[in-house]
């Protein structure tokens, strides 16, 4: 296909008219499709229905250590849940706290506690003139919303296929004591599906922050969310690497079973050094008597162990892999060679990231919306919702049916082509 940029103005005009005729057909279809949020589809949720039978009125809800899960207690979670989630996170159960139903909530809490009470005896962040966070971008919109909510100044750092631009990260954290943290989705990142290289993880563990209370917020939300049996990404375990590097307290790790069992009814967890855990428990004991142990037990009885979880994730992959592949095929078929965008082809996670020509993302999303397809808002993947190049769009293929997804992807590529032609014709 001829790259659009090499066409004459006349050729561009003709191509645009043809595409607009196609677009009109989509408009007449009265579509109402949603590719905006990374939610599991019904078939995926159905996979976990067996968990509802794991406990019943006649079941013994006693843990291995004798804890009655029906009663108060167990601030940091039941042991067998720590073992299961520890295997999932590749951490020792002793380094884990099991929380409630959302890891995002744990991240919010972690920032909130640093604001009001400080980290390991350091000054609370709210008493400082300025607090800053590094935000590898494009990134996860809800991370950015948390830091924005607390008035923390967000500094975008470029994302690359091997992780954040580490030269910039190292330099900034070393020279500015106001920088207190960095958001990371190290495996199958949201939205690109990138996984950090060994070198990136090693450099993270060896950061020399000017702020003694700087922390890496390592959100390993997609740690076992592979799409393939053979093409899988693996990353170095950061907590152990920090210990090896002599920086044991540098990182907070987060995870949950939201996209393994039920979003909103899973179990969330935090892994950290024993020092950090003590600090956290000092607050946690004032916040709750304990989280939902019945749900923890239900998860353990359902999966039994990490092997059960891994098998379960293969079933998820069987449901969503064809969706990712369908989107990739349509993008390849409709856009390859036109020079109007680039997109990622992840081995796992929940998203595909699309880069339009500069200045086109908002218009593409608006055009798709006018024809009945909702995408994640352009800009959402950047701090403050401001994409400096107006070029990133997050594509979430898991929720719609395969047929709806194909229709939505076709409309999307059509919008990309129309908007790109219009942009090039302007120039
Ligand atoms: C990177 C990342 N972290 C966290 C979450 C939400 O996790 P939870 O449901 O445990 O709050 C999501 C959901 O999309 C996510 O993409």
């Amino acid at each position: 296909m001829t790259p659009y940029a090499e066409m004459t103005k006349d050729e561009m005009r003709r191509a645009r008219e043809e595409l607009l005729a196609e677009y009109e057909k989509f408009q007449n279809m009265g579509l109402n499709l949603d590719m905006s949020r990374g939610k599991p589809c019904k078939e995926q949720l159905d996979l976990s229905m067996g968990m509802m039978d794991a406990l019943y009125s006649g079941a013994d809800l006693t843990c291995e250590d004798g804890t009655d899960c029906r009663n108060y207690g167990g601030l940091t979670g039941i042991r067998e849940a720590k073992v299961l989630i520890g295997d999932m996170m590749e951490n020792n159960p002793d380094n884990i706290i099991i929380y409630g139903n959302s890891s995002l909530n744990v991240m919010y809490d972690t920032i909130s506690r640093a604001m009001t009470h400080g980290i390991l005896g350091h000054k609370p962040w709210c008493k400082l003139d300025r607090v800053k966070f590094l935000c590898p971008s494009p990134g996860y919109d809800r991370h950015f919303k948390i830091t924005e909510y607390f008035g923390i100044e967000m500094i975008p750092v470029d994302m690359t296929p091997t992780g954040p631009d580490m030269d910039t990260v190292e330099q900034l954290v070393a020279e500015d004591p106001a920088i207190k943290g960095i958001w990371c989705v190290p495996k199958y990142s949201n939205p690109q599906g990138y996984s950090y290289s060994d070198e990136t993880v090693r450099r993270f563990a060896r950061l020399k922050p000017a702020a003694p209370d700087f922390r890496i917020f390592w959100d390993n939300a997609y740690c076992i969310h592979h799409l393939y049996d053979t093409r899988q990404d693996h990353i170095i375990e950061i907590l152990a690497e920090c210990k090896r590097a002599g920086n044991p307290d540098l990182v907070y790790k987060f995870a949950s079973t939201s996209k393994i069992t039920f979003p909103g009814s899973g179990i969330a967890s935090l892994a950290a050094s024993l020092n950090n855990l003590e600090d956290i428990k000092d607050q946690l004991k004032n916040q709750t008597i304990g989280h939902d142990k019945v749900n923890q037990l239900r998860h353990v009885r359902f999966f039994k162990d990490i092997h059960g979880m891994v098998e379960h994730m293969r079933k998820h992959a069987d449901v969503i892999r064809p969706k990712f592949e369908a989107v990739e095929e349509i993008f390849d078929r409709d856009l390859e060679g036109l020079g109007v965008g680039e997109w990622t082809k992840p081995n796992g996670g929940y998203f595909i990231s699309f880069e339009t020509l500069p200045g086109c993302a908002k218009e593409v999303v608006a055009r798709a919306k006018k024809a009945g397809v909702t995408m994640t808002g352009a800009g959402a993947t950047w701090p403050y919702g401001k994409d400096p190049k107006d070029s990133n769009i997050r594509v979430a293929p898991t929720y719609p049916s395969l047929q709806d997804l194909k229709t939505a992807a076709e409309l999307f590529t059509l919008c990309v082509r129309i908007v790109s032609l219009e942009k090039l014709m302007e120039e």
Side-chain angles (χ1 to χ4, degrees), residues 1-20 338 417-418 420-422 424-426:
M1 284 196 270
T2 316
Y4 282 174
E6 289 174 19
M7 286 181 170
T8 64
K9 284 264 154 87
D10 249 5
E11 285 171 328
M12 284 190 201
R13 209 167 294 125
R14 273 200 303 276
R16 178 175 171 269
E17 267 157 31
E18 279 172 28
L19 294 169
L20 281 177
L338 295 181
R417 284 174 284 167
I418 294 169
S420 304
L421 278 171
E422 287 171 352
L424 290 167
M425 283 161 73
E426 260 172 33

Side-chain angles (χ1 to χ4, degrees), residues 55-60 70:
L55 301 182
Y56 53 98
S57 62
D60 180 3
R70 298 170 303 178

